Amino acid sequence: MTFESNFILDKLPKHLKQYIKPQNYEEYTAINQAVWRYVMRKNVDYLSKVAHKSYVDGLHKTGIAIDHIPNMYGMNRILKEIGWAAVAVDGFIPPSAFMEFQAYNILVIASDIRQLEHIEYTPAPDIIHEGAGHAPIIANPEYAEYLRRFGEIGSKALSSKKDYELYEAVRHLSIIKEAEGTPQDLIEKAEKRIEELQQNMGEPSEMALIRNLHWWTVEYGLIGTLENPKIYGAGLLSSIGESAWCMTDEVKKIPYSLEAVHTSFDITKPQPQLFVTPDFAYLNQVLEEFANTMALRKGGLSGLEKLVESKELGTIELSTGIQISGNFTRAIAHEGKPIYFFTEGKTALSYREKELIGHGTKHYPNGFGAPIGKLKGINIAIEDMSPRDLKAYNIYEGEVVTLEFIGGITVSGKIITGTRNLKGEIILISFSNCTVKHHDQILFHPEQGLYNMAVGQSIVSVFNGPADLSSFDLITHKISDTTIKTPKTKLDLQLEQLYKQVREFREGENTTISRNKVFQELLSNHPEDWLLPVELYELAMNNGDSEFANEISAHLANVKRNKPSVGRLIDDGLELVDKNLVI
């Protein structure tokens, strides 16, 4: 175990635990803590006016402090009071896994924190985005239920190979962009790769569509009226640049609806438009509208074809409730309906998400196939036949029969036994000496052993992943990139030490430190750094040392002249101090 568990985390399946990593709180430097403190002070000052009222309340309810990066163990002690938990991960994880965590009421938090150079925004998920952005709003019960339900539905969405390529490309960009010293040409190359993939995705998969919904609500959502919207999306709550930008008229505000599912986004650029939901309850309404379009609820030939195209482990559920999980390779159709399906490799049969005894992957290591539909010339489906009906049609133990299905599938062999569901319906019929054909093409021959025929007149549901999580080994996650930790130079370590001394002074751990000496060392060796002088200015003003404050202010004016890009950040930091903000 690399994390401290609680009753919520204890419910997690093993395949999700593979993504969890220790937070390693001691690895956060004093510079990291200063970045957190600056962003949080700035955010709370500004967001208290423009964020949904749940934000400020939620900071207290979820254990998010202004002055300290949150400790995951402390957060969990508080989060469990509202039925949630948090775990640390390394950056982006696959979308389906991310959503599955949400379905278990678990907040996934990338434990790294953005560099000072990216203090306003980073494409990489970090603890500011996840902790300060996502966590506070889940204290709102209506929104928390939306997040859980979104995870439940989203984790069942069918994806495509291109979705995974895009995920890997975005993960790669986020890692190299946050790594110190990455050449600009490499970043531009990674951004171009994402752009090329986005322009050549083809027909969007369910996962691509539901990711759009996630982006325009959970990440970049506004709530209220078009004239006076409030912020609730984590991407906006954690970006001191975009939270202000989004409130201007330059960002178009659109009433939230199912149309958002067809609005793509670019993670590398500010958003040109945002969607406004009237309230959190409406989010669930739109989510249910989208779920009604998914193979999860529609099933049928289109759902089966989507699953075949995805080339991912998935499940189909037949009208009797029997569920077949595996890698589906093709389907045979007749008049727009599936009449036979095939899996390749390990396959398992389940009923109500529980594997049928004797029908796991050990029994079906090389695939599975079965007919779907009604028998030719008989109006009543096999599953609806009473014991008297079954006997009349010779579907009975010990009988040698040929079952001819609509569409040209025939199953010929000796019936050994049948398996029934809780309603008493036949869900599986086992044959010996069996031959299965589609017209003249043999699909199964007697030498292959017993033939277990799944029974169902239609496919009612198709979804990502196995029906029973224990049927397959899902602990196979491999990532091509991991967060890059650049070796620190002597100057880096020296600057960290200066930040540490100032932090210790402010918190009363060591009040003997000479702030003037720290400032002179900063001027000599780190003249471009702006955040530590802002912190020193705060201490000087709080102590009534106006002469020292003026000296620091003059230095910061030079920094602004030499590096205009940080001018607004410096001004905002000084403004917070001059307001004498008490949080």
Side-chain angles (χ1 to χ4, degrees):
M1 292 283 283
T2 58
F3 58 93
E4 187 176 298
S5 194
N6 62 31
F7 71 93
I8 297 165
L9 294 175
D10 288 342
K11 295 176 183 176
L12 268 183
K14 288 181 182 177
H15 74 280
L16 288 180
K17 291 180 181 178
Q18 68 186 310
Y19 297 101
I20 301 173
K21 58 168 267 189
Q23 185 183 18
N24 296 330
Y25 194 88
E26 68 284 353
E27 291 183 8
Y28 295 121
T29 68
I31 298 177
N32 296 150
Q33 296 283 4
V35 166
W36 171 272
R37 184 171 183 267
Y38 177 92
V39 172
M40 290 304 296
R41 281 166 59 83
K42 176 71 183 143
N43 275 2
V44 171
D45 174 50
Y46 175 67
L47 293 173
S48 59
K49 306 178 192 78
V50 299
H52 187 267
K53 57 183 172 53
S54 296
Y55 174 74
V56 175
D57 293 343
L59 285 174
H60 302 299
K61 288 180 181 176
T62 53
I64 306 291
I66 305 299
D67 287 335
H68 299 85
I69 295 171
N71 187 309
M72 218 74 74
Y73 303 139
M75 276 185 72
N76 271 327
R77 282 195 296 274
I78 298 169
L79 282 172
K80 70 180 180 183
E81 298 301 319
I82 58 173
W84 280 71
V87 294
V89 299
D90 183 17
F92 283 108
I93 63 172
S96 60
F98 180 88
M99 292 186 190
E100 200 174 349
F101 271 108
Q102 282 184 196
Y104 283 92
N105 280 24
I106 292 176
L107 196 60
V108 172
I109 295 181
S111 56
D112 289 325
I113 188 167
R114 65 193 64 178
Q115 293 178 55
L116 177 53
E117 289 74 18
H118 301 147
I119 195 168
E120 286 195 280
Y121 171 77
T122 173
D126 75 334
I127 197 162
I128 292 177
H129 172 80
E130 313 284 1
H134 285 293
I137 304 296
I138 64 169
N140 181 294
E142 188 78 52
Y143 181 74
E145 173 56 18
Y146 170 69
L147 210 59
R148 184 202 67 79
R149 185 69 174 146
F150 197 107
E152 196 171 54
I153 292 170
S155 62
K156 300 294 187 185
L158 300 176
S159 60
S160 70
K161 186 180 179 183
K162 288 188 176 182
D163 289 332
Y164 196 77
E165 287 177 8
L166 182 60
Y167 153 71
E168 286 279 12
V170 169
R171 179 180 168 84
H172 174 68
L173 172 65
S174 72
I175 288 170
I176 64 171
K177 203 161 186 177
E178 271 303 310
E180 290 185 52
T182 303
Q184 186 60 30
D185 64 320
L186 284 183
I187 292 173
E188 289 172 1
K189 184 180 177 183
E191 288 178 340
K192 189 177 180 183
R193 169 70 175 151
I194 290 173
E195 194 176 323
E196 288 171 351
L197 284 170
Q198 287 177 328
Q199 290 174 355
N200 295 282
M201 293 295 287
E203 187 70 23
S205 68
E206 290 180 349
M207 181 57 76
L209 294 174
I210 204 167
R211 279 179 68 239
N212 287 344
L213 279 190
H214 195 270
W215 184 263
W216 299 121
T217 60
V218 176
E219 297 294 351
Y220 280 83
L222 298 177
I223 187 169
T225 64
L226 295 181
E227 298 73 30
N228 184 31
K230 300 295 183 184
I231 296 171
Y232 74 91
L236 296 171
L237 293 174
S238 60
S239 172
I240 54 180
E242 224 170 339
S243 58
W245 159 256
C246 79
M247 287 288 130
T248 68
D249 291 338
E250 292 181 64
V251 178
K252 186 179 180 183
K253 313 301 190 299
I254 305 169
Y256 181 59
S257 70
L258 194 56
E259 282 304 304
V261 82
H262 301 296
T263 306
S264 57
F265 59 88
D266 186 341
I267 195 170
T268 66
K269 296 180 176 69
Q271 309 311 309
Q273 79 279 307
L274 295 172
F275 291 89
V276 185
T277 182
D279 48 47
F280 288 138
Y282 187 66
L283 295 179
N284 276 306
Q285 184 179 322
V286 174
L287 177 61
E288 290 301 319
E289 283 181 46
F290 177 72
N292 286 336
T293 71
M294 291 172 61
L296 173 68
R297 294 187 180 172
K298 295 186 79 172
L301 179 61
S302 63
L304 179 54
E305 287 176 339
K306 283 182 188 176
L307 183 52
V308 170
E309 190 180 336
S310 78
K311 296 181 170 55
E312 296 287 334
L313 173 61
T315 298
I316 67 169
E317 181 176 325
L318 304 186
S319 47
T320 52
I322 191 169
Q323 297 163 314
I324 300 92
S325 301
N327 288 95
F328 288 77
T329 54
R330 69 186 181 102
I332 299 174
H334 174 73
E335 295 181 349
K337 294 181 180 180
I339 58 170
Y340 202 89
F341 64 84
F342 301 83
T343 69
E344 190 176 80
K346 292 180 178 180
T347 305
L349 310 185
S350 303
Y351 181 72
R352 292 189 175 177
E353 285 71 53
K354 187 176 181 182
E355 186 180 291
L356 294 174
I357 294 170
H359 294 280
T361 57
K362 287 184 179 177
H363 194 87
Y364 304 107
N366 302 311
F368 183 84
I372 306 163
K374 290 183 177 180
L375 296 173
K376 188 175 180 180
I378 301 174
N379 285 330
I380 189 168
I382 293 175
E383 64 217 60
D384 296 326
M385 291 182 180
S386 67
R388 183 176 294 175
D389 294 326
L390 291 167
K391 191 160 189 179
Y393 293 113
N394 286 333
I395 305 173
Y396 205 75
E397 291 176 21
E399 296 288 345
V400 177
V401 296
T402 293
L403 303 179
E404 186 178 355
F405 289 81
I406 295 171
I409 301 289
T410 57
V411 179
S412 303
K414 183 179 181 180
I415 296 177
I416 299 174
T417 188
T419 302
R420 295 178 182 272
N421 63 18
L422 293 174
K423 296 178 183 177
E425 299 167 335
I426 292 286
I427 61 173
L428 201 65
I429 299 174
S430 299
F431 294 81
S432 64
N433 195 29
C434 188
T435 300
V436 182
K437 291 181 180 181
H438 177 229
H439 299 305
D440 294 330
Q441 180 191 4
I442 294 179
L443 307 178
F444 186 94
H445 52 79
E447 290 75 19
Q448 290 176 258
L450 287 179
Y451 180 70
N452 294 307
M453 186 184 81
V455 176
Q457 63 175 312
S458 63
I459 298 175
V460 296
S461 182
V462 180
F463 54 88
N464 172 68
D468 186 335
L469 294 173
S470 65
S471 293
F472 294 81
D473 176 13
L474 302 174
I475 307 176
T476 56
H477 180 58
K478 297 284 190 299
I479 53 175
S480 55
D481 287 310
T482 54
T483 304
I484 299 168
K485 302 289 185 183
T486 309
K488 293 174 183 175
T489 65
K490 189 176 179 180
L491 274 176
D492 292 335
L493 295 170
Q494 185 189 62
L495 183 60
E496 283 181 11
Q497 185 60 26
L498 295 178
Y499 271 87
K500 185 170 183 282
Q501 289 175 342
V502 170
R503 184 173 181 81
E504 288 176 348
F505 182 90
R506 187 179 61 250
E507 296 189 347
E509 292 179 28
N510 187 352
T511 54
T512 63
I513 292 163
S514 168
R515 286 158 291 145
N516 273 284
K517 189 176 177 182
V518 168
F519 182 57
Q520 293 308 318
E521 196 171 332
L522 194 73
L523 290 177
S524 300
N525 299 318
H526 311 279
E528 289 192 350
D529 184 82
W530 64 270
L531 183 54
L532 190 55
V534 168
E535 294 210 331
L536 286 167
Y537 178 84
E538 180 189 359
L539 292 176
M541 291 296 285
N542 287 345
N543 289 345
D545 192 344
S546 57
E547 186 178 337
F548 186 31
N550 289 336
E551 188 181 352
I552 297 167
S553 183
H555 166 65
L556 284 169
N558 282 331
V559 175
K560 287 197 290 184
R561 277 192 293 273
N562 296 330
K563 198 175 181 182
S565 61
V566 299
R568 187 166 53 80
L569 294 169
I570 292 171
D571 290 342
D572 288 350
L574 297 182
E575 185 186 351
L576 277 174
V577 177
D578 292 338
K579 279 182 180 178
N580 196 21
L581 189 66
V582 177
I583 302 174

